[in-house]
Amino acid sequence: ELMQNHSENTKRIAKNTLMLYGRMLFSMVVSLYTSRVVLGALGVEDYGIYNIVGGIVAMLDFLNGSMSGATSRFMTFELGRGNLVRQKETFASAMIIHMGIALFVLFFAETIGLWLLENKLVIPDNRMVAARVVYQLSIVSAVLAITQVPYNACLTSHEKFDVFAYFSIITITLRLLIVFMLRIGDFDKLIQYSVLSACVSFLMICVYRVYCIRHFEEARFTFVWRKDILKPMLGFSGWDMFGNLSVMARTTGVNMLMNIFYGPMFNAAVGIATQVQGAISNLANNIVTASRPQIIKQYASDNHDEMFGIVTTMTKLAFVLLAVFTIPIISEIDFILKLWLGDNVPEHAGVFCVYTLLFNFFANMSVMMGAVIHATGRIKRISLINGLLYISVLPVTYVAYKCGVPSSFPFIYNVIAVILGTISNAWTVKLYIPSFKFIKYIVNVLLKCIVILGIGIFLVHILFEEISGEWLRFVIKGFFSTIYVCFVGYYILLSKQQRGTLVGIIRSRLGRKV
């Protein structure tokens, strides 16, 4: 029965992952195209301004990220227990908290955030009006997104990933339409792009809410004040907040330091690296997203062995998917960027991309271990440790930049920090759930993945670097890395049981098609 449940849960995750992949592939193709067109339409300087100005609101939005994790965890936990009344009360409590967060973010965005924009960021005087418009529209979008979190948590807890996929395709199509509208009229392109993006965000928020209210009884908000729900949610999110604050330091904080020391041109390079990282990391994030509800539900049912089986299997599969795409991209990053952006490639974008792609591998493992810890509800330890690791990048980078180190320093620092954080998360799981085999995870998952990745990058570089013709070299590297990663991943990374489960899923899918 345990094996049957494991197979059914794995198939459910596989189905949800496939739905998310359909969305991701469409999203990736469109976002790569739109990024190129937007960069060309705005220019490198305005593109950098858009990234750094929007980043101020993202910096103030870390509260939302904290409560997002808490909301999803508690709603999925109650769904796993099958308590509808408790689900309604949890949703109502989450809405009350998020409305409070929205007001808090609005206040600080219009005070501290506005002061940063006007006094600290390096923005040309002739672009300040456009920067202010971008900033205010970013605030409106952020406030609306904050109150949207409980509705998204409903979709996730019910594992309605097909709905996520359909709505995302609509969103992406609308954003593609924005790109074509940039070619129309003689408006300020930065302002035009910001206004249209805000309109799309508002429209899709309305669509999500209408769907949730119509399909999920708990999503029909009524004011309920339950201290026994609010207190653990706020306690959970309080420590999660510190973790999200540290992530903000690793991303937006570093971006602001780079603006202060190097100017908006370097922010454009960071923006491109972030686009590449986002496109590739979605390959693994889809597996994590599809797995998280099952991890929480299995923990709520005390099925620890099943939960760990899901975690290790999905971590390995996510690594394989990342490696297949990342190895040839790292090896040919300059060619990829030139092919994608033409002559508009910002300086240093290639180096930033390489380090962010390496960061992805270990971030994926860290997040999977973090999902187990989130299921327990005891996140104080990992938030404190990971938070200190990540937030330290700000003072260290500031001193390093003062000493004249290369601009890529914080990216290298973050790769080291996320590896240490992954090991720490795994040890925390061992402390909370003694049945977890820490050494086995480090050897069979973490170390194996590092070795497979290192050998793959080395072989691709040694064997094919001398091939003339950029297209031919890239295609050969991509073909070789796919064969290498799939072969080594299947026979060395996956266990016998995991190989059997994977084959069973493939056969069942092929059988249905036949």
Side-chain angles (χ1 to χ4, degrees):
E1 185 180 353
L2 181 63
M3 287 294 294
Q4 183 179 357
N5 288 338
H6 178 74
S7 178
E8 290 176 357
N9 289 329
T10 305
K11 287 179 180 179
R12 184 181 297 110
I13 294 171
K15 176 186 175 182
N16 291 333
T17 303
L18 287 173
M19 292 301 304
L20 291 171
Y21 268 105
R23 177 192 72 170
M24 182 274 299
L25 289 173
F26 182 66
S27 173
M28 185 168 63
V29 171
V30 174
S31 66
L32 291 176
Y33 170 73
T34 55
S35 295
R36 171 180 176 140
V37 177
V38 169
L39 178 60
L42 299 183
V44 174
E45 185 175 73
D46 273 7
Y47 188 80
I49 291 172
Y50 183 81
N51 276 279
I52 188 62
V53 171
I56 299 178
V57 179
M59 180 180 68
L60 296 170
D61 192 32
F62 70 91
L63 285 171
N64 186 40
S66 309
M67 280 310 305
S68 176
T71 302
S72 180
R73 186 267 172 189
F74 280 90
M75 291 186 66
T76 304
F77 193 88
E78 295 303 336
L79 183 63
R81 298 170 106 181
N83 190 333
L84 179 60
V85 174
R86 193 74 172 181
Q87 286 175 242
K88 291 181 178 179
E89 293 172 343
T90 302
F91 179 86
S93 299
M95 277 299 298
I96 292 170
I97 292 172
H98 278 85
M99 286 188 283
I101 292 173
L103 292 174
F104 182 84
V105 169
L106 178 63
F107 172 76
F108 274 89
E110 295 292 5
T111 53
I112 295 174
L114 199 58
W115 176 81
L116 286 172
L117 173 65
E118 298 288 348
N119 298 281
K120 291 298 180 182
L121 295 187
V122 179
I123 298 173
D125 292 338
N126 64 328
R127 301 307 295 148
M128 275 305 298
V129 172
R132 292 182 185 114
V133 173
V134 172
Y135 183 69
Q136 294 299 328
L137 289 171
S138 297
I139 293 173
V140 173
S141 298
V143 167
L144 291 174
I146 288 170
T147 57
Q148 175 65 19
V149 168
Y151 296 97
N152 289 347
C154 274
L155 287 171
T156 301
S157 61
H158 285 276
E159 299 185 68
K160 293 291 185 180
F161 296 105
D162 55 338
V163 177
F164 265 126
Y166 299 143
F167 286 173
S168 294
I169 289 173
I170 295 173
T171 304
I172 295 159
T173 303
L174 291 174
R175 294 198 179 280
L176 183 61
L177 181 62
I178 289 175
V179 171
F180 291 109
M181 292 181 71
L182 285 177
R183 303 174 183 272
I184 302 173
D186 192 25
F187 306 103
D188 184 302
K189 299 302 179 184
L190 181 55
I191 294 176
Q192 184 182 1
Y193 181 67
S194 302
V195 170
L196 292 173
S197 296
C199 290
V200 169
S201 298
F202 176 75
L203 175 63
M204 292 312 301
I205 282 173
C206 293
V207 171
Y208 273 100
R209 294 191 185 199
V210 169
Y211 179 89
C212 289
I213 291 170
R214 292 185 63 180
H215 291 83
F216 308 128
E217 192 172 346
E218 70 269 23
R220 296 159 194 170
F221 175 71
T222 54
F223 187 86
V224 177
W225 187 269
R226 290 291 304 268
K227 289 184 179 180
D228 59 323
I229 298 177
L230 289 168
K231 185 177 178 180
M233 285 183 74
L234 289 171
F236 183 97
S237 62
W239 282 108
D240 211 21
M241 186 187 304
F242 182 70
N244 281 278
L245 177 63
S246 66
V247 172
M248 178 204 72
R250 178 178 59 79
T251 53
T252 307
V254 167
N255 203 14
M256 291 182 69
L257 281 178
M258 196 164 288
N259 176 268
I260 293 169
F261 280 91
Y262 296 102
M265 295 296 187
F266 276 71
N267 295 127
V270 174
I272 293 301
T274 303
Q275 285 280 336
V276 174
Q277 180 191 22
I280 301 301
S281 65
N282 279 339
L283 294 167
N285 289 344
N286 287 328
I287 289 181
V288 175
T289 302
S291 304
R292 191 184 295 273
Q294 277 300 315
I295 291 171
I296 296 174
K297 289 173 183 175
Q298 295 305 321
Y299 179 81
S301 303
D302 293 324
N303 296 327
H304 292 169
D305 290 340
E306 170 67 10
M307 177 180 67
F308 289 131
I310 291 172
V311 169
T312 54
T313 300
M314 295 305 155
T315 300
K316 292 174 181 179
L317 291 178
F319 168 82
V320 168
L321 286 168
L322 277 175
V324 164
F325 287 90
T326 301
I327 290 175
I329 290 176
I330 286 178
S331 181
E332 290 291 321
I333 189 63
D334 291 331
F335 168 65
I336 296 295
L337 291 178
K338 184 179 178 181
L339 182 68
W340 173 27
L341 302 173
D343 296 328
N344 293 318
V345 180
E347 190 178 1
H348 302 289
V351 176
F352 295 170
C353 285
V354 169
Y355 289 123
T356 55
L357 290 175
L358 290 175
F359 176 88
N360 276 348
F361 284 100
F362 307 105
N364 164 61
M365 297 179 196
S366 181
V367 169
M368 288 298 289
M369 283 289 101
V372 176
I373 300 168
H374 273 68
T376 69
R378 301 163 63 188
I379 64 170
K380 177 179 177 179
R381 177 186 168 89
I382 65 162
S383 294
L384 188 61
I385 294 174
N386 288 319
L388 290 174
L389 281 171
Y390 287 150
I391 209 168
S392 63
V393 71
L394 275 182
V396 173
T397 298
Y398 180 82
V399 173
Y401 279 173
K402 280 286 189 180
C403 295
V405 301
S407 58
S408 59
F409 171 81
F411 295 92
I412 301 171
Y413 187 96
N414 283 328
V415 172
I416 297 171
V418 77
I419 293 174
L420 296 176
T422 302
I423 297 171
S424 172
N425 283 359
W427 180 247
T428 300
V429 172
K430 175 65 177 177
L431 293 177
Y432 292 170
I433 309 176
S435 61
F436 176 65
K437 297 176 176 60
F438 172 76
I439 299 298
K440 185 177 180 181
Y441 174 82
I442 295 298
V443 173
N444 290 341
V445 180
L446 182 60
L447 290 180
K448 278 187 178 180
C449 287
I450 291 175
V451 171
I452 290 171
L453 176 64
I455 292 175
I457 294 174
F458 176 77
L459 288 177
V460 163
H461 181 75
I462 291 297
L463 295 176
F464 309 113
E465 195 61 30
E466 299 303 321
I467 295 177
S468 59
E470 294 175 321
W471 264 111
L472 178 62
R473 187 171 64 245
F474 176 67
V475 170
I476 291 176
K477 286 181 177 180
F479 179 77
F480 174 82
S481 63
T482 301
I483 299 299
Y484 163 78
V485 171
C486 290
F487 179 84
V488 176
Y490 184 81
Y491 287 103
I492 296 179
L493 191 60
L494 296 181
S495 66
K496 184 177 180 180
Q497 178 184 341
Q498 290 165 342
R499 290 198 294 269
T501 301
L502 181 62
V503 170
I505 293 172
I506 294 173
R507 284 177 176 173
S508 68
R509 294 293 167 188
L510 292 176
R512 288 181 185 180
K513 290 183 178 180
V514 173

